[in-house]
Amino acid sequence: MAINVPIITTFADKGVNAAQKAFGDLSKSTLIAGAAIGAAVTAVAAFGYSAIQKASDFNEAISKNTVVFGAISKEVENFAQTAGRAFGISETAALKAAGTFAIFGKSAGLAGKDLSDFSIGLVTMAADLASFNNTSVDEAINALGSALRGEAEPLRKYGVLLNDATLKAAATELGIYSGNKALTAQQKVLAAQKVIFDQTADAQGDFSRTSTGLAAQQKILGATLENIQTNLGQAFLPIFLKAVKFFNDEVSPAFERVAEVIGEKGLVKGMQQALYEMGSFGPGMVSAFKQIA
């Protein structure tokens, strides 16, 4: 027996060590697998949520343009559908930009076809300016919007110089100004548009001319992927909307009632209220927690 004890002990120690190592390896593998699965689920959820938000933004842009452009809004929508491959602008971005420019056009008294031409022309100009000067389309859109608001500096990097004398000269050529008075806001918008187009002749059509280059192809790819994500989001949007509405109508009020009870009668009463709010689901939830514990 005295001889066997160390043998058994040694064997046992080796077995325990081996088991511990095996469990350790298994635990590490499980953690790694769990982390990978968790990361994948998180990535999918983030993509899905982003797609839903893009779909919502698209719907908002459509709704705004319907109001702004009225009967001519379909023409702008048709333009936006082709903007991805023609100008490297996603459909939503094209709609948003057109809607923004239309606000300035309406303030200048434009309507109908004149208004849609004004907006589409400036969106197209933004794509060409971005292509010609190697900037993002968003940056060009913002610069054009600033110019229409009377801010000349953002467009300087695109080779457009706006000052009072230039604007007055353009307004005079358009036949909307005469004399020495200050330009009205409406006159400035139309004069700025003319100056922009007059001073950017070299840039006009640049995206089309360079559409086979890497920079243009990357913009087209980015716009295409955003359009795809928006379309996917449209499929999930009704489900997400129902979920959000359920939380707003049912869950949030229940939480508010529970919080009120806790504040007035304490935690125990609050937990009882929470179980009551959960109805038949409550006892099952409590039982599940007990089993987990």
Side-chain angles (χ1 to χ4, degrees):
M1 293 294 293
I3 297 173
N4 290 335
V5 170
I7 297 174
I8 294 172
T9 303
T10 303
F11 178 77
D13 288 343
K14 289 181 178 178
V16 170
N17 290 337
Q20 287 177 336
K21 184 178 184 302
F23 278 115
D25 292 343
L26 178 61
S27 177
K28 290 178 182 177
S29 300
T30 302
L31 287 174
I32 292 171
I37 293 171
V41 170
T42 300
V44 171
F47 178 84
Y49 181 76
S50 176
I52 290 169
Q53 294 303 310
K54 288 183 183 301
S56 178
D57 288 346
F58 172 80
N59 291 344
E60 290 293 330
I62 287 287
S63 178
K64 176 182 176 180
N65 281 8
T66 300
V67 174
V68 172
F69 288 101
I72 204 71
S73 63
K74 198 64 181 176
E75 180 178 331
V76 179
E77 291 176 24
N78 291 337
F79 163 77
Q81 289 173 359
T82 65
R85 294 198 173 276
F87 304 108
I89 309 174
S90 71
E91 189 171 354
T92 301
L95 288 170
K96 284 184 175 181
T100 298
F101 292 138
I103 299 299
F104 293 106
K106 290 189 81 170
S107 73
L110 300 179
K113 188 70 165 58
D114 291 336
L115 181 62
S116 64
D117 288 347
F118 174 88
S119 299
I120 290 173
L122 286 171
V123 175
T124 303
M125 173 58 69
D128 286 335
L129 286 177
S131 175
F132 192 71
N133 295 278
N134 196 29
T135 70
S136 70
V137 179
D138 285 342
E139 192 174 354
I141 289 172
N142 290 334
L144 289 171
S146 296
L148 296 177
R149 286 193 298 271
E151 302 169 16
E153 188 60 32
L155 264 184
R156 285 183 181 274
K157 68 184 298 181
Y158 296 100
V160 179
L161 302 177
L162 291 171
N163 54 45
D164 189 61
T166 304
L167 291 174
K168 284 182 177 178
T172 300
E173 287 184 42
L174 290 171
I176 59 175
Y177 174 78
S178 60
N180 299 316
K181 295 182 179 179
L183 293 171
T184 66
Q186 293 82 0
Q187 290 170 334
K188 285 181 180 179
V189 168
L190 296 178
Q193 182 206 24
K194 175 173 172 52
V195 172
I196 290 168
F197 277 88
D198 286 348
Q199 294 186 10
T200 58
D202 290 342
Q204 292 171 30
D206 190 74
F207 189 90
S208 178
R209 290 193 298 269
T210 61
S211 60
T212 58
L214 178 60
Q217 286 296 308
Q218 286 177 319
K219 288 177 181 177
I220 292 172
L221 177 60
T224 301
L225 292 177
E226 185 171 339
N227 288 341
I228 290 172
Q229 195 172 9
T230 299
N231 291 335
L232 289 173
Q234 292 289 359
F236 292 110
L237 189 58
I239 301 171
F240 189 74
L241 179 59
K242 287 182 180 179
V244 172
K245 190 174 186 305
F246 173 76
F247 270 86
N248 286 337
D249 294 346
E250 304 294 339
V251 178
S252 293
F255 275 117
E256 290 174 354
R257 289 191 291 268
V258 171
E260 288 176 3
V261 173
I262 291 176
E264 294 174 1
K265 302 180 180 179
L267 183 60
V268 174
K269 291 292 185 182
M271 294 304 295
Q272 291 175 345
Q273 180 68 26
L275 291 174
Y276 171 78
E277 295 289 350
M278 287 188 287
S280 60
F281 183 67
M285 178 67 76
V286 173
S287 176
F289 277 123
K290 286 182 178 179
Q291 291 179 18
I292 293 171

